[in-house]
């Protein structure tokens, strides 16, 4: 007896209802789903103290918030003024925590604080230069400064700080390498580019916030130079983060779209049934929706890369409905066909879930989300395949595979062919001069080499630190930590002098320990002694004692 297919209206009505429910679920997801773009979710969890320090710096450190900017396209004089206008505009934007272009920024509160505590912050080994010989050298230096463009500032400091402690502090804070200064702003060595250093308020791995910062930078550049001749080059961790996310999303969208179109066309060609093909797509949509719900219930937000790669991985979920449809035969109910193939499909779903469960156990939140996303989708696929799909597929629409596909199974068997392929592969690897394995993490980045070269060049031009190693000093309180840091400085300075390391920085350079500050304070002369030393210093100087 010929198996009768259900009437057309009965066959399509459940599919339309299914599609409506999916649309309702998609609307709910679109209103509640929070998509994250913070690449820190793909960093591992710290297991040791060293790893915690490293990850803290990667996640929240100031180095990851730096954006290096080069301006070009205008004459040097115009570049200098444009750099000033751009810097002033960016300083008004809360997106940026710090904007530097070489222009001296006067902060009265900071200057007043430094001036008040200058003797306690002195970088000099012996403290205050309060003997007559030292005071005379400082007065001679101030005399030279009075004839410079900064004469007004030098005159003000001379009256309040004749020993030059304030200047010594500021000099000690200068970087080892300073950019070229022209017209009051930073320039490259060839003076073809004006340079800026920006520090964003958001962490460098927060792609959305970094994208906003770069957009704000571009908008500010257009407003200060509307002619369109100004060219901006931006690099730094934040720029790399934005580029990485855009690269991943665009590649996944393109390849996923092409794969999806190809899969649909292939299903239509093999199944030769529009309804069965649509049923397969409904299964895939259900799988995706359940996967999103599963991750959303576990995490407050879902990373965009998790969704992009997750949808790609869920393509395997299409295999199971296709297996059932290809095994359908006319005259045999779908549930009976499923009873024959279900044990194999169930085992396949379980083993695939076990494989993806390895991602759940990693210390990477992003990969954990990806594993959970895929497992939830596969479980949903099994449930749809077991209880829903048999009632909707039609054995009457079953077709034998195309003749060209069947011929693949009848290709001649060549037992030695795998051995030949293996031998060719081994010979190719042995003849290759390239390394088979590499531990260089730089090889994993999609950042173009020219942008990496630009970042290295701008860092050299600006004297930005290229952090390679970090020393962590741990103790029970801040005072002990600063004292231990001060004890290390002598050894580190010796390493710099002998060329073992290029340089170093430490917190005690900016803030001495309380013990060091007491030592400096005890070395200060009395008022009367200081007055006598100053009178002696003035006798052989160009300054008058009664001025």
């Amino acid at each position: 007896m010929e198996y009768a297919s259900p009437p057309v209206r009965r066959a399509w009505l459940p599919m339309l209802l299914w599609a409506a429910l999916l649309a309702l679920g998609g609307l709910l997801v679109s209103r509640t789903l929070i998509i994250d773009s913070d690449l820190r979710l793909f960093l591992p969890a710290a297991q040791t103290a060293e790893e915690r320090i490293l990850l803290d710096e990667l996640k929240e450190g100031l180095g990851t918030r730096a954006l290096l900017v080069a301006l070009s396209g205008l004459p040097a004089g115009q570049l200098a003024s444009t750099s000033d206008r751009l810097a002033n505009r960016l300083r008004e934007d809360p997106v940026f925590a710090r904007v530097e272009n070489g222009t001296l920024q006067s902060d009265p509160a900071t200057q007043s604080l430094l001036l008040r505590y200058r003797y306690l912050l002195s970088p000099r080994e012996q403290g205050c230069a309060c003997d007559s010989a030292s005071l005379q050298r400082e007065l001679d230096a101030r005399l030279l400064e009075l004839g410079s463009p900064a004469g007004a500032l030098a005159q003000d400091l001379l009256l309040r700080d004749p020993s030059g402690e304030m200047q010594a502090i500021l000099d000690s804070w200068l970087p080892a390498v300073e950019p070229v200064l022209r017209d009051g702003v930073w320039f490259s060595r060839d003076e073809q580019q004006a340079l800026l250093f920006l520090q964003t308020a958001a962490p460098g791995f927060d792609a959305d916030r970094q994208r906003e910062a770069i957009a704000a930078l571009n908008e500010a550049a257009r407003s200060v130079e509307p002619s369109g001749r100004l060219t901006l080059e931006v690099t730094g961790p934040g720029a790399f983060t934005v580029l990485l996310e855009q690269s991943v999303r665009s590649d996944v969208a393109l390849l996923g779209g092409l794969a999806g179109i190809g899969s649909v066309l292939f299903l239509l060609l093999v199944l030769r049934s529009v309804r069965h093909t649509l049923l397969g797509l409904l299964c895939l949509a259900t799988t995706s929706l359940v996967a999103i719900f599963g991750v959303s219930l576990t995490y407050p937000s879902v990373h965009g890369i998790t969704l992009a790669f997750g949808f790609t991985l869920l393509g395997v979920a299409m295999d199971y409905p296709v297996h059932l449809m290809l095994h359908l035969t006319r005259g045999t109910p779908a549930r009976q066909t499923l009873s024959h193939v279900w044990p194999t499909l169930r085992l396949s779903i379980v083993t695939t879930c076990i494989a993806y469960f390895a991602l759940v156990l990693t210390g990477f939140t992003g990969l954990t989300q990806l594993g959970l996303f895929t497992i939830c989708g596969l479980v949903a696929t099994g449930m749809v395949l077991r209880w829903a799909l048999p009632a909707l597929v039609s054995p009457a629409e079953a077709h034998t595979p195309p003749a060209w596909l069947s011929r693949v199974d009848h290709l001649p068997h060549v037992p030695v062919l795998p051995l030949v392929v293996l031998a060719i592969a081994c010979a190719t690897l042995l003849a290759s001069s390239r390394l088979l394995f590499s531990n260089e993490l730089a090889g994993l980045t999609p950042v173009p080499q020219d942008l990496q070269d630009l970042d290295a060049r701008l860092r050299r031009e600006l004297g930005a630190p290229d952090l390679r190693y970090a020393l962590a000093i741990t103790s029970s309180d801040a005072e002990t930590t600063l004292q231990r840091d001060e004890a290390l400085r002598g050894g580190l300075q010796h390493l710099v002098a002998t060329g073992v390391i290029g340089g170093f920085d430490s917190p005690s350079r900016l803030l001495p320990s309380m013990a060091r500050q007491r030592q400096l304070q005890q070395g200060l002369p009395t008022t009367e002694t200081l007055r006598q030393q100053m009178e002696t210093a003035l006798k052989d100087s160009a300054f008058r004692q009664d001025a």
Side-chain angles (χ1 to χ4, degrees):
M1 180 178 178
E2 192 79 15
Y3 183 83
S5 60
V8 174
R9 183 173 298 177
R10 280 184 54 197
W12 286 95
L13 187 59
M15 293 177 60
L16 293 175
L17 180 60
W18 189 356
L21 291 175
L22 286 176
L24 183 62
L27 180 62
L28 178 63
V29 165
S30 66
R31 293 186 174 183
T32 58
L33 178 64
I34 300 176
I35 299 179
D36 202 342
S37 62
D38 194 338
L39 293 180
R40 291 175 294 177
L41 293 180
F42 286 89
L43 293 176
Q47 303 297 326
T48 64
E50 291 82 0
E51 292 177 358
R52 283 193 293 272
I53 293 171
L54 175 61
L55 290 179
D56 285 344
E57 287 301 309
L58 286 175
K59 292 178 179 180
E60 302 291 344
L62 297 180
T64 65
R65 302 169 186 256
L67 289 178
L68 312 180
V69 183
L71 308 179
S72 59
L74 297 173
Q78 293 184 34
L79 275 179
S81 61
T82 302
S83 173
D84 269 336
R85 295 198 306 274
L86 178 60
N88 291 332
R89 177 71 177 269
L90 295 177
R91 290 186 184 107
E92 299 173 356
D93 195 327
V95 170
F96 300 100
R98 178 184 173 193
V99 177
E100 301 290 344
N101 72 329
T103 304
L104 291 176
Q105 296 297 310
S106 178
D107 183 358
T110 302
Q111 289 183 6
S112 175
L113 187 67
L114 290 177
L115 192 63
R116 180 179 180 184
Y117 295 104
R118 62 190 182 278
Y119 295 117
L120 302 183
L121 301 176
S122 176
R124 292 164 171 159
E125 186 65 28
Q126 302 301 324
C128 172
C130 296
D131 59 282
S132 59
S134 299
L135 286 172
Q136 186 174 351
R137 286 195 301 269
E138 292 298 330
L139 290 173
D140 292 341
R142 301 292 86 75
L143 183 62
L144 294 175
E145 291 174 359
L146 288 174
S148 70
L153 178 61
Q155 181 179 0
D156 180 61
L157 285 178
L158 175 63
L159 297 175
R160 296 191 291 173
D161 182 30
S163 64
E165 296 301 324
M166 183 78 163
Q167 188 62 46
I169 293 173
L170 296 178
D171 289 343
S172 71
W173 289 356
L174 291 175
V177 179
E178 292 186 81
V180 174
L181 199 64
R182 173 171 176 173
D183 295 331
V185 302
W186 289 330
F187 269 82
S188 59
R189 289 184 178 87
D190 60 7
E191 299 189 1
Q192 298 299 310
Q193 293 179 310
L195 308 177
L196 293 92
F197 176 88
L198 312 180
Q199 181 182 307
T200 60
F205 282 98
D206 191 337
D208 284 342
R209 304 289 84 76
Q210 291 297 322
R211 190 182 300 106
E212 291 177 3
I214 294 175
L217 170 62
N218 290 326
E219 178 61 29
R222 285 191 293 268
S223 66
V224 299
E225 183 55 47
S227 66
R229 294 183 298 158
L230 183 65
T231 301
L232 267 73
E233 291 180 294
V234 185
T235 184
F240 293 161
T241 297
V242 174
L243 179 64
L244 173 62
E245 192 212 24
Q246 290 175 345
S247 176
V248 170
R249 288 199 179 192
S250 60
D251 288 348
V252 169
L254 175 62
L255 298 178
L258 293 176
I261 294 173
S263 298
V264 171
L265 294 177
F266 185 76
L267 288 177
L268 286 172
L269 186 62
V270 172
L271 298 177
R272 290 184 283 181
S273 169
V274 174
R275 192 159 71 91
H276 283 180
T277 300
L278 291 178
L279 278 172
L281 296 178
L282 285 175
C283 289
L284 183 60
T286 303
T287 296
S288 302
L289 193 61
V290 171
I292 294 174
F293 272 123
V295 179
S296 298
L297 291 175
T298 310
Y299 294 93
S301 62
V302 182
H303 201 282
I305 293 180
T306 297
L307 294 178
F309 278 111
F311 288 137
T312 303
L313 293 176
L314 281 183
V316 71
M318 282 288 290
D319 294 347
Y320 305 108
V322 171
H323 273 298
L324 174 61
M325 296 171 190
L326 288 177
H327 282 83
L328 293 175
T329 56
R330 294 177 181 272
T332 303
R335 294 192 181 278
Q336 183 177 340
T337 301
L338 179 63
S339 66
H340 294 301
V341 300
W342 172 247
T344 302
L345 297 181
R346 178 183 57 200
L347 178 62
S348 177
I349 292 174
V350 171
T351 54
T352 305
C353 287
I354 292 174
Y356 282 111
F357 190 71
L359 294 179
V360 178
L361 298 179
T362 63
F364 300 78
T365 303
L367 293 182
T368 301
Q369 288 187 359
L370 186 59
L372 181 61
F373 185 94
T374 309
I375 291 173
C376 291
L378 289 171
V379 171
T381 298
M383 297 174 67
V384 170
L385 179 64
R386 182 68 178 85
W387 288 293
L389 204 58
L392 298 175
V393 296
S394 172
E397 296 186 28
H399 296 280
T400 57
W404 61 269
L405 191 60
S406 301
R407 294 193 189 99
V408 175
D409 296 330
H410 297 88
L411 291 175
H413 295 283
V414 184
V416 297
L417 183 60
L419 297 178
V420 173
V421 174
L422 179 61
I424 294 174
C426 291
T428 303
L429 291 176
L430 291 174
S432 175
S433 60
R434 301 175 60 184
L435 292 175
L436 298 181
F437 302 99
S438 174
N439 59 1
E440 291 291 336
L441 293 179
L444 298 177
T445 176
V447 179
Q449 186 60 45
D450 58 344
L451 191 54
Q452 296 183 47
D453 295 340
L454 173 65
D455 182 76
R457 181 176 66 82
L458 292 185
R459 286 184 180 277
R460 289 194 302 269
E461 299 275 11
L462 283 166
D466 183 12
L467 182 63
R468 295 178 183 270
Y469 299 99
L471 294 178
I473 302 174
T474 57
S475 60
S476 58
D477 54 74
E479 172 63 14
T480 306
T481 302
L482 288 172
Q483 291 181 21
R484 292 178 179 178
D485 179 34
E486 290 168 347
L488 275 175
R489 290 182 62 85
L492 294 175
Q493 288 169 350
H494 175 71
L495 293 178
V496 173
T498 56
V500 177
I501 60 176
F504 71 95
D505 203 354
S506 65
S508 63
R509 183 175 68 93
L510 302 176
L511 179 65
S513 65
M514 291 295 294
R516 171 63 177 166
Q517 292 182 43
R518 291 192 187 97
Q519 179 186 356
L520 293 171
Q521 188 178 43
Q522 292 170 359
L524 293 175
T526 63
T527 305
E528 183 59 31
T529 301
L530 182 58
R531 181 180 295 109
Q532 293 174 0
Q533 296 293 331
M534 178 61 72
E535 290 176 354
T536 303
L538 287 171
K539 288 179 181 179
D540 298 323
S541 73
F543 295 96
R544 300 201 318 257
Q545 296 188 29
D546 58 347

